[in-house]
Amino acid sequence: MTLGGRIGFSTLGRAALWLLLYAFLLSYLHPELIVLDRPATGGDMASHYPSAVYLRDYLLPQGKIVGWQPGNYAGFPQFQLYFPLPFLIMAALSLVMPLAVAFKIVSVAGLLLLPPAAGRLVKHLGFKEPAPDLAAVFSLCFLFLESNSAWGGNIPSTLAGEFTYSLGLSLSLIYLGRLYRDIDTGRRVTGNALLLALVGLSHGYNLLVCVLGASFFLLTTRNWTARFIHLLKVNLLAFCLLGFWLTPLLIFLPYTTPFNFVWVINDWREVFPVILWPALILAAVGLGFSLIYRTVHDERPIFYLLYLALVSAVFYLIAFKIGVVDVRFLPYVQLLLVLMGAVSAGRVLSRPRARRLAALALALAVVLWTAQQESYISRWAAWNFSGWPDKPLWPAYEKVVGHLKGDWSSPRVACEHAALTAGTGTVRAFESLPFFARRATLEGAYIQASPSSPAVFYLQSEISAETSAPLSQYNYSRLDLDRARRHFRLFNVGHYVSASQETMRAALNTPGYVLEKRYPPYAIFRLEDGGGGYAVQPAFRPVLALTIDPRRDGFTWLRQTDAEVPLVLASQVNPEEEQLFAGIIRSGELPGQIRNLPRQPLPAQGRFEVLMREEEIIIDGARPGVPLWIKVSSHPNWKVEGAPKVWRTAPSFLLVFPTERRVRLYYERGWPDLLGLALTWGGILWAVGLLVAQVLGRGSKDLTGAWNGREPMTSGGTRRRGRGLLLLASAAAAGTVLYLILAVDFQDPTVYFNRGIKIFRAGDYARARLVFQAALDKFPLSPVVDQTFHYLALTYFKQGDLEKARGTWKRFESEYPETRLWPEAQYHIGLTFLDQERYEEAALAFTVLTARFPESSWADEAGRRLLELDELSWRREYEQAVSLLGQGRTVEARLLLTMLRDQATRISLAERAGYQAALCLVKEARWSEAETALGDLLREYPDGQVALEVRFHLSLARLKLGDHAGARTGFQALSEEFPETVWGREARRMLLTEPRPSH
């Protein structure tokens, strides 16, 4: 029995192929560990598990999918900005198995689904066997790609925590294949819309590729109207079905943190590594054949795959401009090209002359090739799925967690970011404190979901020897635990966990940190002020900032103030509300006034109680009219009882002006959520209506009557006009894309910086300066802003413009005082003074550096420069003394030289000064004192730089004192030991001219 045409696979052959495929894949994923009832670890994976627990145990029983999570980032709406479908499946599976097992099964579901999804796509495109089965096998090359672990879709990215992307990728392949199959029949609108909605609930990047990739069907006038209506139906219905989640996501974007950056790719082999080369070669050969011998009908599926890859590549090029991460689109380029290679191979093997087992042999070769390229996947999977208890640092971590146990009302915990924490199972282990200890911490997995993320990662940089710095639009600080104390109080942090020796020493030496417990390598410090509380009465009346960019202004307030005066951020207020504030700063005025906010004292804080729950904050004992600062992330869904409204404050918190003594804040659905729910219910009713119409035999024909490949009855002129309009629209779209690609060139601050560095290293300092200055103008806050400033200063320094170089480095002190480059900048400031021979100012700069940062490597360099300056100072004194000696002013010279002999720090200088001081005695004919001084000098420096001169003058002094025998012995030894030296020859001359004593 054969399948798929003339040759295909036998049932037995196909079964063998699929058995081989899954046996190989599962052997690397360790199913025996997946079914182990332990939460997974590794990368972000561990941080996702508490989300599954929160959904199952709290949100779903409340009838919600999206709700407030107080455990990370000062709180955020869980699943508003992340993808709930995989977690809903986990919760459903947990009804029949442990949640930890369900979590691991769903986390690999996208990987296991990808081979059949790839085969289904190829089959829906109309390719005969064995192409669909080979597509499934070839997908292994993509799955086992090890050149990246963060782009998405492959096994390493999934093990790092990107399992939602993997599931969305597989579902998107099925959708794109079904769409191709159904586009000319108009059928299955409901099924395809539901599938597209599931893609969106799995991952947004997959949704973008699906929606824009469908534009392929609008590139021809054939059935254009019918196709457009079909796509419109599918996409509108999918949007409605997604409404409950997508609508609030879009409306609440101003209350999130943008997370877009340009991934730096240094080599094309990062995108197309060796493991993909065989498939890519086959794809290139097949595509070349299609271009040379193509027919539109036969080759349209190939061009569909190529078009989808092109759409993904375009998304990659414009990603930063539209606010997304560029490399998330490259997996589609890789995978689609691999599938094109499988199609090429399948076409060859489908010919009658091919042997029946050739396809199975090729599949085996692909498996062997893939196995040869794998190096770490199996070990990583075992690490992840074996769970927490097997990890080397788990005992210490478990004790830390046990010590910190509390509830949502307990102060937050801040933890140092340190690579060694990976020994617990993941470097991000402390993000799971809300799960293990029911204690809120700062960081979490969902960076974009909270407006507090920039402030959180800024605080992380203040308390960590190494910092992650994930946000490309914000800058960071150096380790500064004293400054961090103010921010700890702002965020109601009661405990600090250090991981490195450097931070532990710093905490022990910084007031306000009390060592509570040590579980090496971790040390738990209690903050003396106890965190301050989740709701406090500020010491000063709030100031109002009218702003159009609350995220930027809130972050500026955090960096440049003492965080004592609350800054309320609003776009507009009415006149009555203006009376609530100590002052009002208009839009654009904040940078100039931020350091001098009005301070209008408020009465001393009274006693009140604060109760924190998941989605509720209750405050008893508030003073009517006196503001309360709530240290929880702002969001429009926060409502209040006992106060007129909720205000947004810097950096991203809440503030209310109570009218009653009891104030209750609660998180509930807002109008965007209700609108989204209405859209979803409308979509469900629409889908049901379509299904009913299909059952009744209606809806099988499009409004244009163009289904089933029948083109509408139109004249040739109409067709020509349609083609002209389509060509014009396509050109406009291509022009827009080209503009976006060109417009986004070097728009990421890191890309700007790297471009400037390349020019700088080529020695073109003037052009590099233009790039660095443009980067500073465009991105005044970024992780590389201080490095950009530093190299801007270096361009002046390299060109000898020391005043401008020093002025640029000095701007650190006022504009970026928290920079980790401050020691290096201060060192270079000292160098500029040194090059200008302004030695006292140089010494002051180096001294300040060594005092402020004694453990810095730049302090060591500054110390060496100070020694050189010290020597330079002594050398100038020495040269002055020698000059006095040359002028015959021997007394003045001798006093200065004696001082230098006794105090100079370098031995060579002390020796020379001692010799010159003795020489002054010689010139003054004070022979007895000269003999003593020269003798002492020779005993101290017997092999010194001026030892020969000393020996000669010592003999001369003895001669003058009448010790002819001693003098002769000295001259004799000097002439015999060093006959070729000046002093050896002088000694011989003295022996010849000295009269012999008479007997």
Side-chain angles (χ1 to χ4, degrees):
M1 177 180 179
T2 61
L3 295 176
R6 292 169 292 181
I7 183 163
F9 282 122
S10 66
T11 302
L12 183 61
R14 292 194 68 213
L17 182 146
W18 284 93
L19 181 62
L20 172 67
L21 188 157
Y22 274 105
F24 176 76
L25 182 56
L26 287 171
S27 68
Y28 287 90
L29 295 180
H30 298 282
E32 75 283 0
L33 297 177
I34 290 176
V35 299
L36 195 63
D37 187 12
R38 292 179 181 173
T41 63
D44 293 354
M45 187 81 79
S47 298
H48 287 302
Y49 181 71
S51 300
V53 175
Y54 197 69
L55 177 67
R56 184 196 65 175
D57 294 349
Y58 179 76
L59 293 177
L60 289 178
Q62 300 289 325
K64 300 177 179 180
I65 294 176
V66 177
W68 194 256
Q69 161 62 271
N72 308 94
Y73 293 118
F76 67 97
Q78 182 86 58
F79 296 120
Q80 180 184 288
L81 209 69
Y82 205 66
F83 312 102
L85 179 62
F87 298 92
L88 289 168
I89 300 172
M90 294 169 190
L93 289 177
S94 71
L95 297 174
V96 295
M97 65 180 67
L99 181 60
V101 177
F103 179 90
K104 288 187 279 188
I105 290 174
V106 175
S107 72
V108 299
L111 304 176
L112 299 176
L113 183 59
L114 187 65
R120 201 70 181 166
L121 169 62
V122 170
K123 185 171 184 177
H124 283 322
L125 295 183
F127 294 107
K128 298 178 180 180
E129 293 290 357
D133 291 327
L134 288 178
V137 176
F138 273 52
S139 69
L140 292 175
C141 296
F142 170 77
L143 286 173
F144 281 82
L145 188 154
E146 292 186 342
S147 63
N148 75 81
S149 61
W151 297 3
N154 58 338
I155 296 177
S157 296
T158 303
L159 294 175
E162 280 287 337
F163 57 84
T164 58
Y165 186 103
S166 302
L167 182 59
L169 176 62
S170 297
L171 292 175
S172 69
L173 296 185
I174 299 172
Y175 168 78
L176 291 168
R178 284 171 57 96
L179 188 64
Y180 186 92
R181 177 195 64 186
D182 298 332
I183 191 67
D184 284 325
T185 66
R187 299 171 59 193
R188 303 181 182 89
V189 170
T190 303
N192 287 335
L194 177 60
L195 186 55
L196 183 58
L198 293 177
V199 170
L201 289 174
S202 297
H203 211 284
Y205 290 87
N206 309 129
L207 181 64
L208 287 173
V209 173
C210 287
V211 172
L212 270 296
S215 62
F216 173 83
F217 302 110
L218 302 178
L219 297 180
T220 175
T221 55
R222 179 176 174 268
N223 293 343
W224 192 91
T225 304
R227 291 178 175 192
F228 175 78
I229 292 175
H230 182 68
L231 290 175
L232 188 63
K233 285 181 179 180
V234 170
N235 284 274
L236 278 179
L237 180 53
F239 179 81
C240 290
L241 294 174
L242 284 168
F244 77 96
W245 174 76
L246 188 57
T247 302
L249 182 154
L250 296 174
I251 294 174
F252 290 142
L253 280 178
Y255 287 83
T256 63
T257 296
F259 185 59
N260 59 323
F261 58 88
V262 174
W263 190 284
V264 177
I265 297 176
N266 298 308
D267 193 307
W268 65 269
R269 282 168 291 194
E270 294 179 44
V271 181
F272 300 116
V274 174
I275 192 172
L276 301 183
W277 287 4
L280 297 179
I281 292 171
L282 287 171
V285 172
L287 180 61
F289 182 86
S290 297
L291 291 173
I292 295 172
Y293 301 104
R294 75 182 184 90
T295 63
V296 173
H297 178 73
D298 293 338
E299 305 305 330
R300 190 177 68 163
I302 288 289
F303 294 131
Y304 181 53
L305 293 175
L306 186 63
Y307 184 81
L308 292 174
L310 179 63
V311 167
S312 304
V314 168
F315 266 127
Y316 166 74
L317 294 173
I318 66 173
F320 185 83
K321 188 70 173 180
I322 63 176
V324 292
V325 179
D326 56 0
V327 289
R328 293 284 191 265
F329 297 102
L330 290 181
Y332 276 95
V333 178
Q334 296 168 325
L335 179 57
L336 289 165
L337 293 179
V338 166
L339 296 186
M340 288 175 62
V343 166
S344 298
R347 283 179 155 184
V348 173
L349 297 181
S350 67
R351 297 180 180 276
R353 288 172 295 191
R355 292 184 300 173
R356 296 173 62 87
L357 295 179
L360 184 59
L362 178 59
L364 180 61
V366 171
V367 167
L368 292 175
W369 168 257
T370 304
Q372 185 182 16
Q373 302 301 316
E374 186 273 343
S375 62
Y376 64 77
I377 285 175
S378 180
R379 286 182 285 110
W380 192 354
W383 174 270
N384 276 23
F385 298 140
S386 60
W388 295 90
D390 291 342
K391 305 303 183 286
L393 275 184
W394 169 254
Y397 177 77
E398 188 177 31
K399 290 175 183 176
V400 171
V401 167
H403 183 84
L404 294 173
K405 279 188 181 294
D407 55 38
W408 296 132
S409 294
S410 303
R412 294 188 179 102
V413 179
C415 306
E416 179 187 4
H417 174 83
L420 62 84
T421 296
T424 64
T426 169
V427 71
R428 304 176 70 169
F430 286 102
E431 295 177 358
S432 296
L433 268 182
F435 168 67
F436 284 116
R438 197 173 168 77
R439 186 83 178 269
T441 186
L442 291 179
E443 295 173 41
Y446 310 110
I447 295 175
Q448 293 171 270
S450 173
S452 299
S453 299
V456 165
F457 283 105
Y458 187 86
L459 180 51
Q460 180 209 77
S461 66
E462 290 181 317
I463 65 174
S464 303
E466 53 191 89
T467 183
S468 58
L471 297 172
S472 66
Q473 307 302 311
Y474 297 91
N475 68 305
Y476 299 91
S477 173
R478 61 178 171 270
L479 175 65
D480 190 342
L481 291 183
D482 184 54
R483 191 163 180 262
R485 282 183 60 203
R486 298 198 299 271
H487 296 148
F488 279 157
R489 185 170 181 82
L490 177 68
F491 274 86
N492 189 35
V493 171
H495 284 95
Y496 164 58
V497 180
S498 73
S500 65
Q501 290 295 315
E502 181 180 353
T503 54
M504 186 180 71
R505 287 195 302 269
L508 290 171
N509 294 322
T510 304
Y513 293 82
V514 179
L515 180 62
E516 203 167 79
K517 201 72 177 178
R518 285 200 65 195
Y519 301 108
Y522 302 110
I524 304 173
F525 291 87
R526 175 175 52 81
L527 277 298
E528 282 187 339
D529 58 13
Y534 282 105
V536 300
Q537 178 188 299
F540 303 96
R541 185 167 294 279
V543 173
L544 174 65
L546 296 175
T547 177
I548 58 174
D549 193 346
R551 287 184 291 213
R552 178 201 63 194
D553 292 339
F555 187 72
T556 301
W557 173 90
L558 179 80
R559 288 182 55 243
Q560 298 190 2
T561 74
D562 59 9
E564 291 291 326
V565 180
L567 185 69
V568 172
L569 305 166
S571 58
Q572 59 183 10
V573 295
N574 59 49
E576 292 85 11
E577 291 173 332
E578 291 183 0
Q579 306 306 312
L580 299 171
F581 303 101
I584 300 176
I585 302 175
R586 306 295 172 182
S587 180
E589 297 177 354
L590 188 64
Q593 300 186 37
I594 191 70
R595 296 177 186 272
N596 298 295
L597 296 177
R599 289 180 174 254
Q600 191 177 108
L602 287 168
Q605 177 175 309
R607 292 179 57 85
F608 52 82
E609 296 180 359
V610 180
L611 175 63
M612 295 284 294
R613 296 194 177 114
E614 282 82 357
E615 298 182 290
E616 186 179 43
I617 307 168
I618 299 175
I619 305 162
D620 284 316
R623 293 185 182 183
V626 179
L628 286 176
W629 205 354
I630 317 297
K631 300 175 180 180
V632 173
S633 295
S634 56
H635 194 279
N637 281 357
W638 279 109
K639 306 297 188 295
V640 64
E641 296 173 355
K645 64 185 290 186
V646 180
W647 297 85
R648 179 175 182 171
T649 67
S652 54
F653 291 160
L654 309 172
L655 185 138
V656 296
F657 290 90
T659 56
E660 301 175 15
R661 291 191 58 80
R662 187 177 192 272
V663 176
R664 174 176 173 262
L665 290 96
Y666 55 96
Y667 184 87
E668 70 170 14
R669 292 188 179 106
W671 68 264
D673 304 275
L674 299 177
L675 175 60
L677 286 172
L679 285 172
T680 296
W681 280 111
I684 292 172
L685 292 176
W686 183 9
V688 170
L690 290 174
L691 290 173
V692 170
Q694 184 178 347
V695 170
L696 296 177
R698 302 171 186 170
S700 61
K701 184 172 67 173
D702 185 76
L703 294 174
T704 63
W707 291 139
N708 303 317
R710 297 196 307 273
E711 194 166 1
M713 297 295 295
T714 55
S715 67
T718 302
R719 289 197 199 97
R720 284 192 294 272
R721 284 194 297 273
R723 291 192 185 99
L725 289 173
L726 183 59
L727 182 62
L728 183 62
S730 300
T736 302
V737 168
L738 185 62
Y739 169 76
L740 287 174
I741 292 173
L742 295 176
V744 300
D745 190 28
F746 303 117
Q747 287 297 303
D748 180 275
T750 304
V751 173
Y752 258 106
F753 174 71
N754 289 336
R755 181 191 177 204
I757 287 293
K758 185 176 180 180
I759 299 171
F760 178 87
R761 288 173 178 166
D764 191 347
Y765 302 121
R767 194 156 67 94
R769 182 156 56 245
L770 293 176
V771 176
F772 292 136
Q773 188 60 62
L776 291 174
D777 294 340
K778 288 177 178 288
F779 307 101
L781 298 174
S782 81
V784 294
V785 66
D786 48 357
Q787 297 181 60
T788 307
F789 248 120
H790 177 58
Y791 275 92
L792 176 64
L794 281 176
T795 63
Y796 291 117
F797 186 77
K798 291 286 188 179
Q799 292 184 318
D801 193 340
L802 301 180
E803 292 295 336
K804 286 186 177 178
R806 184 165 57 246
T808 305
W809 274 312
K810 282 187 174 182
R811 287 173 63 185
F812 274 136
E813 199 67 43
S814 59
E815 297 181 38
Y816 301 97
E818 70 272 47
T819 174
R820 295 190 175 217
L821 288 179
W822 194 94
E824 187 174 359
Q826 183 70 8
Y827 175 76
H828 281 86
I829 288 173
L831 287 186
T832 62
F833 285 126
L834 197 60
D835 287 352
Q836 292 177 322
E837 298 184 357
R838 295 162 63 176
Y839 299 119
E840 291 185 5
E841 291 165 290
L844 178 60
F846 293 135
T847 301
V848 168
L849 171 56
T850 56
R852 285 189 62 180
F853 299 96
E855 297 183 3
S856 165
S857 61
W858 293 103
D860 296 337
E861 290 294 324
R864 282 188 278 273
R865 294 290 184 174
L866 284 171
L867 288 176
E868 292 173 6
L869 283 170
D870 184 58
E871 180 185 358
L872 183 63
S873 174
W874 292 118
R875 190 180 297 119
R876 291 200 303 270
E877 298 284 349
Y878 175 77
E879 290 171 355
Q880 180 183 354
V882 171
S883 175
L884 291 172
L885 181 60
Q887 298 172 28
R889 298 162 63 180
T890 56
V891 175
E892 297 171 75
R894 179 162 46 82
L895 292 174
L896 189 54
L897 288 165
T898 302
M899 182 270 293
L900 286 171
R901 180 196 66 191
D902 296 338
Q903 296 183 16
T905 54
R906 290 184 66 88
I907 291 175
S908 60
L909 183 61
E911 179 193 3
R912 286 185 175 278
Y915 166 65
Q916 294 291 347
L919 198 59
C920 289
L921 295 171
V922 169
K923 289 186 176 297
E924 295 174 22
R926 299 170 65 174
W927 299 110
S928 179
E929 294 174 69
E931 180 191 28
T932 301
L934 291 165
D936 291 343
L937 197 62
L938 188 62
R939 281 188 292 274
E940 188 171 356
Y941 306 106
D943 299 311
Q945 294 181 353
V946 293
L948 300 184
E949 294 99 309
V950 171
R951 288 172 63 177
F952 176 84
H953 285 94
L954 178 61
S955 299
L956 182 62
R958 288 171 178 166
L959 180 64
K960 295 297 183 179
L961 291 171
D963 183 3
H964 295 280
R968 173 169 286 277
T969 301
F971 289 138
Q972 184 95 27
L974 193 58
S975 65
E976 291 175 357
E977 293 175 26
F978 305 97
E980 301 302 322
T981 66
V982 171
W983 299 106
R985 290 193 293 271
E986 285 295 312
R988 276 199 305 277
R989 186 178 63 79
M990 292 299 296
L991 288 171
L992 293 174
T993 58
E994 177 194 359
R996 295 179 177 275
S998 57
H999 296 283

